[in-house]
Amino acid sequence: MKKSQSHIGNVLHYINGQFVESVSGRAFSNLNPFNNVPINEVAEGFAEDIGLAVAAARRAFDEGPWRTMRVNERMKYIIRIAELIEKYAEDISYLESLDSGLPIAQTKKQAERAAANFRFYAEMVKTRLVGESYQVDNSFINYTIHKPVGVAGLITPWNAPFMLATWKVAPTLATGNTCVLKPAEWSPLTANKLAEIIHEAGLPPGVFNVVHGYGETCGAPLVAHPDVQLISFTGETTTGSAIIKNGSDTLKRVSMELGGKSPAIVFEDADLDTALDAVVWQIFSFNGERCTANSRLLIHESIHDPFVDRLKDRLRNIIVGDPQDPATEVGPLIHREHYNHVNRYIGTARNEGAEVISASIPDGLSAGNYVAPTLILNANNQMTVAQEEIFGPVLTVIPFSTEEEALRMANDSKYGLAGYVWTNDMKRGHRMAQQLECGMVWVNSQNVRDLRTPFGGTKASGIGREGGHYGFDFYTETQIIHVALDEQHIPAFGKKAA
Ligand code: NAD
């Protein structure tokens, strides 16, 4: 049943265990992508709000008990968060769809996955909090321990906002850090829900804080703050680069999950029915606002025409509609500004000589940020739409004749996030996978990931990996401790003359 948005209150920051207005008293409107009508008002944070949140996080880190409590005790809180996410799964799915325009059928599983990730880190931390000892002789021993890093600054984007925020929050908290989350300004609702959940779970004040606001005026002060030890960022490549520069004066540890222009390479011997399903899903699900979308289709020339005919057929039948309707497959883009950005790319494709074929948008949706699912044909890999991330429901199709050519085009990109290879020749599948310059490759598969497996990109798509034990490693410091076991023979400078 469709819910009314009228019960959704304004969003406040969550600082030191309390929901608070901005110091400046300022707020901004949060628009519904379906009709561009404000859903609510959101507190707008600036450097002084960030200062309060970081101070609370710092105090909570320094004074405990979060960092110092027994691991089993801390994990009870982490499990409690998972339970509450499961309890509120339906609300989370609804809020996410309302706020971001993602079809509700596709936001349903996100809370479940986020809860599983909290449970995963509750287990992972217990088994991974294991140091090494180095026996040398009877005179000393060296050993290592893992400690939380300190105050983490977590900065997240508007696509899949709940899942991407919890991706960072779960390992941050499980390893004993405290944090300040700065969610994207276009999708604040589920970050607020997460704050409510963590409040209900009873975490000590200051352990988890959320400050809402814009990138330049709220994200940047978080990055520059000297009491923040690490920044975990997911977003655009250009923003990532600005963050690295801004964090360099205070030598921040950084993790960067950035943009992509990922190729799906379909060979003539592939299972074409499955490849078609996957290619369509990987570009049009989540409204095409997906970092791992296969936005470039490289297709063997011998199957190009029939495959494109089938793509056109799918395009005609895709259900574009109200994101709250469970039947909807493609909803509105997040914001008018992003809608304009995607449409500009479609115009550029035409100007550069490509053929543009778009699905139709049903009547009654003109107030929303709808971009029809679009195919760009007669394209080549040098075109702007093959090189730049569009981040919308737009698939650029490029034929190839040989495996070498496919590989060359796939790698001819500044990005290196994901790659998809479709072939029934498994030697070729592995060969291609190993030569693709990207962080993740799926062979005859699409974007499924066991929680133990790392996630991340190369080149302009990122630095580092999230997930699995990589999450644990990033959010902890390894300390080396040397202990003398007997009398040490240390050169005694200055002793002879005395
Ligand atoms: P964005 O870079 O515009 O914004 C992301 C976050 O950074 C927002 O919270 C924003 O307010 C903040 N920000 C902006 N400027 C900042 C600054 N100067 N200092 C500090 N913070 C700043 O990205 P977006 O448009 O929200 O998200 C879409 C992008 O995210 C796409 O490029 C997509 O590929 C990428 N993404 C990558 C992954 C991945 O895992 N690799 C996952 C999802 C999205």
Side-chain angles (χ1 to χ4, degrees):
M1 199 174 69
K2 206 167 153 182
K3 298 188 189 180
S4 148
Q5 67 179 55
S6 59
H7 65 284
I8 296 176
N10 290 338
V11 166
L12 300 176
H13 309 303
Y14 182 65
I15 298 176
N16 204 27
Q18 292 186 317
F19 289 91
V20 294
E21 305 265 5
S22 293
V23 174
S24 67
R26 280 171 63 171
F28 59 89
S29 290
N30 179 31
L31 303 179
N32 182 344
F34 176 62
N35 51 20
N36 283 298
V37 169
I39 298 172
N40 59 359
E41 294 289 301
V42 180
E44 182 178 355
F46 293 92
E48 57 266 37
D49 306 286
I50 288 290
L52 293 174
V54 173
R58 186 78 246 170
R59 246 186 341 267
F61 186 78
D62 289 344
E63 294 172 13
W66 187 248
R67 170 175 60 92
T68 49
M69 74 175 58
R70 292 196 125 179
V71 175
N72 281 348
E73 249 345 89
R74 195 162 67 233
M75 294 319 140
K76 282 185 194 157
Y77 286 100
I78 301 295
I79 295 291
R80 181 83 188 116
I81 296 171
E83 288 167 353
L84 289 170
I85 290 175
E86 283 156 356
K87 175 177 166 190
Y88 295 116
E90 209 180 305
D91 292 353
I92 293 165
S93 165
Y94 162 69
L95 291 171
E96 197 78 307
S97 170
L98 178 75
D99 210 13
S100 63
L102 294 177
I104 195 142
Q106 294 165 35
T107 60
K108 273 208 164 7
K109 288 258 179 302
Q110 306 233 318
E112 197 183 293
R113 180 102 168 134
N117 197 43
F118 274 94
R119 290 183 190 282
F120 171 80
Y121 275 106
E123 275 308 306
M124 147 77 64
V125 166
K126 279 194 278 185
T127 52
R128 194 126 178 121
L129 269 177
V130 178
E132 290 167 339
S133 70
Y134 304 89
Q135 293 160 271
V136 185
D137 52 29
N138 286 337
S139 62
F140 65 92
I141 186 166
N142 297 345
Y143 67 94
T144 59
I145 59 169
H146 302 293
K147 299 179 12 173
V149 178
V151 177
L154 312 177
I155 303 180
T156 50
W158 45 258
N159 71 311
F162 187 75
M163 212 174 67
L164 293 173
T166 54
W167 237 225
K168 300 181 189 304
V169 172
T172 297
L173 296 183
T175 47
N177 300 283
T178 60
C179 68
V180 178
L181 169 67
K182 207 303 278 171
E185 53 272 32
W186 288 346
S187 58
L189 293 188
T190 51
N192 186 52
K193 186 72 200 170
L194 183 62
E196 288 173 0
I197 284 173
I198 287 182
H199 190 74
E200 189 175 338
L203 268 71
V207 168
F208 174 77
N209 306 273
V210 184
V211 181
H212 299 274
Y214 293 96
E216 293 283 329
T217 46
C218 185
L222 177 61
V223 173
H225 202 295
D227 275 346
V228 173
Q229 274 70 46
L230 68 82
I231 295 288
S232 177
F233 172 74
T234 301
E236 280 184 18
T237 298
T238 49
T239 315
S241 167
I243 286 177
I244 292 171
K245 282 192 199 112
N246 188 15
S248 69
D249 280 348
T250 44
L251 281 177
K252 299 269 189 307
R253 176 184 292 203
V254 291
S255 159
M256 294 279 145
E257 295 289 346
L258 309 174
K261 191 76 199 177
S262 303
I265 305 162
V266 181
F267 286 95
E268 67 284 9
D269 65 344
D271 173 346
L272 295 179
D273 292 345
T274 313
L276 179 71
D277 286 346
V279 167
V280 169
W281 166 257
Q282 274 299 124
I283 186 64
F284 298 128
S285 59
F286 299 92
N287 304 338
E289 298 162 322
R290 181 177 196 150
C291 57
T292 50
N294 55 206
S295 50
R296 281 187 295 158
L297 170 61
L298 306 181
I299 179 127
H300 191 263
E301 58 188 7
S302 66
I303 52 169
H304 175 275
D305 291 355
F307 201 84
V308 165
D309 284 345
R310 294 179 75 186
L311 280 171
K312 288 181 187 164
D313 208 39
R314 289 295 179 93
L315 213 64
R316 272 191 290 277
N317 291 304
I318 277 185
I319 303 169
V320 177
D322 180 346
Q324 294 292 309
D325 181 341
T328 292
E329 292 171 333
V330 174
L333 299 189
I334 180 81
H335 196 274
R336 209 64 186 171
E337 208 177 299
H338 188 56
Y339 162 94
N340 290 332
H341 166 92
V342 173
N343 277 317
R344 264 197 304 276
Y345 274 114
I346 295 174
T348 305
R350 275 199 197 91
N351 294 340
E352 291 184 5
E355 180 190 358
V356 174
I357 294 185
S358 293
S360 55
I361 298 173
D363 293 341
L365 299 178
S366 58
N369 309 322
Y370 283 90
V371 172
T374 296
L375 296 178
I376 297 190
L377 306 174
N378 293 334
N380 64 58
N381 203 49
Q382 299 315 312
M383 286 181 173
T384 308
V385 285
Q387 288 292 325
E388 294 185 14
E389 185 183 43
I390 301 175
F391 220 55
V394 181
L395 177 65
T396 303
V397 183
I398 303 168
F400 68 85
S401 55
T402 62
E403 184 180 322
E404 293 69 33
E405 191 191 13
L407 187 64
R408 188 165 36 75
M409 285 199 286
N411 287 342
D412 179 15
S413 170
K414 70 174 173 180
Y415 292 110
L417 189 55
Y420 305 86
V421 181
W422 294 92
T423 178
N424 272 328
D425 175 348
M426 283 317 289
K427 281 187 190 161
R428 174 155 69 185
H430 283 285
R431 200 161 58 227
M432 288 293 289
Q434 294 192 14
Q435 293 181 90
L436 280 172
E437 294 169 0
C438 55
M440 300 171 283
V441 182
W442 282 271
V443 180
N444 297 331
S445 166
Q446 55 79 36
N447 212 353
V448 283
R449 185 176 78 85
D450 183 277
L451 285 174
R452 289 168 301 178
T453 317
F455 182 99
T458 59
K459 304 200 306 197
S461 291
I463 299 175
R465 295 289 178 270
E466 285 197 308
H469 73 76
Y470 291 81
F472 175 91
D473 296 346
F474 178 69
Y475 293 103
T476 52
E477 284 284 6
T478 301
Q479 187 178 34
I480 302 100
I481 298 175
H482 304 260
V483 183
L485 301 178
D486 68 4
E487 202 181 324
Q488 300 289 296
H489 302 287
I490 303 167
F493 275 23
K495 202 171 178 182
K496 277 188 200 145

